[in-house]
Amino acid sequence: MKLKLVLSASLLALAAAALPRMANAEVAPLDLVQPIADYKIYVSEHAEKLVADTKVFTDAVKAGDVDKAKSLFGSTRMSYEAIEPIAELFSDLDGSIDSRADDHEKAEKDPEFTGFHRIEYGLFSENSTKDLGPFADKLMADVTELNKRITDLTLPPEKVVGGAAVLMEEVAATKISGEEDRYSHTDLWDFKANFDGSRKIFDLVRPLVEKEDSAFVTKVSGNFDKVDTTLAKYKTADGYELYDKLTEDDRAVLAAAVNTLAEDLSTLRGKLGLN
């Protein structure tokens, strides 16, 4: 169901009062209220979609349908990846939903290794749903709880704006190596979701930045287009090419574009006086 958010004059005033004082006098605190409200809608819609998609995915896992579960893995994760900076505000849930084997003492065999990547390991490395039922149930419970917490959350403006860079920096720093979706090689689904989430934030605050630095906006917009064009090369009828099919040159070109974008976006908070 499409979320609707109506901000009354009094609510706008309250929200503005809660915002930090802008270092840049041209960007008034009140100017950020509507972009943050619009982003809350975006996050809430993705959290709801995550719950719906995870239900279909975990049902397939529990039914023992390996092929269906495999086909759903990459697309199911996209809603989480798009709103990752907000999801990471809840470290307990982020750890249980999205941790990797490396985060646990006994790696894949550690009972604390749960969530998407534990199920990914079973599906793609062991080609089986054996013993995955409890992990599926926990994942479903965790994403449901995440959705509930997001509904009640007041988004910190500095986290929202900073999230544009965080999403691209994470791709550049760790994901570009292929380490995250190491069993399924569905990394490009994650990249696309991270990219979309980052661009959404940028687009929402773009009018505010453009008044102060139109050259910066033009440059960043061009870099977004470059990353988008690069990702589009690997689009398929079912989603994206598996990441292990990309050559080292392919990865290098993608990494260069992502790094340039991440560097530019790292200055976005400062341009809005949110450092």
Side-chain angles (χ1 to χ4, degrees):
M1 181 173 66
K2 185 78 172 175
L3 294 173
K4 296 187 181 297
L5 186 58
V6 179
L7 293 175
S8 66
S10 60
L11 183 56
L12 283 168
L14 283 171
L19 291 169
R21 185 72 61 184
M22 299 295 110
N24 189 334
E26 297 299 317
V27 181
L30 190 62
D31 291 340
L32 272 172
V33 172
Q34 194 59 55
I36 298 301
D38 290 342
Y39 185 65
K40 177 65 181 290
I41 293 172
Y42 175 84
V43 171
S44 296
E45 288 175 343
H46 277 71
E48 288 184 356
K49 180 169 171 52
L50 176 64
V51 171
D53 289 350
T54 301
K55 179 68 165 62
V56 179
F57 171 64
T58 55
D59 280 353
V61 172
K62 291 165 67 177
D65 193 336
V66 175
D67 290 340
K68 182 177 181 181
K70 283 182 175 180
S71 72
L72 293 170
F73 179 76
S75 59
T76 299
R77 282 177 48 76
M78 290 184 78
S79 292
Y80 189 86
E81 292 291 326
I83 61 172
E84 198 166 16
I86 303 306
E88 287 178 345
L89 294 176
F90 308 106
S91 59
D92 59 330
L93 291 177
D94 182 55
S96 61
I97 292 172
D98 201 39
S99 69
R100 305 170 194 174
D102 304 345
D103 299 324
H104 303 278
E105 184 179 354
K106 298 179 181 177
E108 287 87 355
K109 303 305 179 184
D110 199 306
E112 297 299 314
F113 178 38
T114 62
F116 276 117
H117 296 302
R118 175 60 184 87
I119 296 174
E120 178 196 10
Y121 171 69
L123 292 174
F124 292 90
S125 287
E126 300 186 323
N127 197 36
S128 172
T129 59
K130 185 177 183 294
D131 300 328
L132 292 183
F135 293 113
D137 287 338
K138 178 167 176 51
L139 176 61
M140 190 67 233
D142 286 340
V143 299
T144 302
E145 174 63 17
L146 177 65
N147 183 39
K148 178 181 180 297
R149 293 192 197 178
I150 283 174
T151 300
D152 299 332
L153 179 67
T154 299
L155 300 185
E158 68 278 6
K159 292 293 186 182
V160 172
V161 176
V166 167
L167 284 163
M168 289 294 94
E169 286 166 355
E170 186 170 347
V171 173
T174 61
K175 293 183 178 180
I176 206 75
S177 67
E179 70 177 58
E180 177 145 10
D181 299 318
R182 67 190 66 174
Y183 318 112
S184 64
H185 306 297
T186 55
D187 304 83
L188 290 176
W189 277 260
D190 285 5
F191 292 3
K192 174 59 174 171
N194 291 156
F195 171 86
D196 287 346
S198 180
R199 189 160 207 171
K200 179 65 177 180
I201 296 167
F202 176 74
D203 286 345
L204 286 173
V205 300
R206 175 174 179 159
L208 303 179
V209 181
E210 203 155 27
K211 292 189 297 185
E212 303 302 316
D213 194 343
S214 61
F216 172 80
V217 168
T218 299
K219 180 184 179 186
V220 173
S221 183
N223 287 335
F224 269 118
D225 289 343
K226 184 173 183 180
V227 174
D228 199 22
T229 300
T230 304
L231 285 171
K233 289 169 52 181
Y234 307 111
K235 191 84 173 67
T236 68
D238 300 322
Y240 288 90
E241 293 281 0
L242 297 182
Y243 197 55
D244 60 342
K245 303 297 184 187
L246 272 62
T247 66
E248 288 301 318
D249 285 345
D250 290 333
R251 295 189 187 199
V253 168
L254 184 57
V258 168
N259 271 305
T260 299
L261 182 56
E263 288 172 7
D264 286 340
L265 290 171
S266 69
T267 68
L268 190 59
R269 276 178 48 171
K271 290 183 180 297
L272 291 171
L274 289 168
N275 280 340

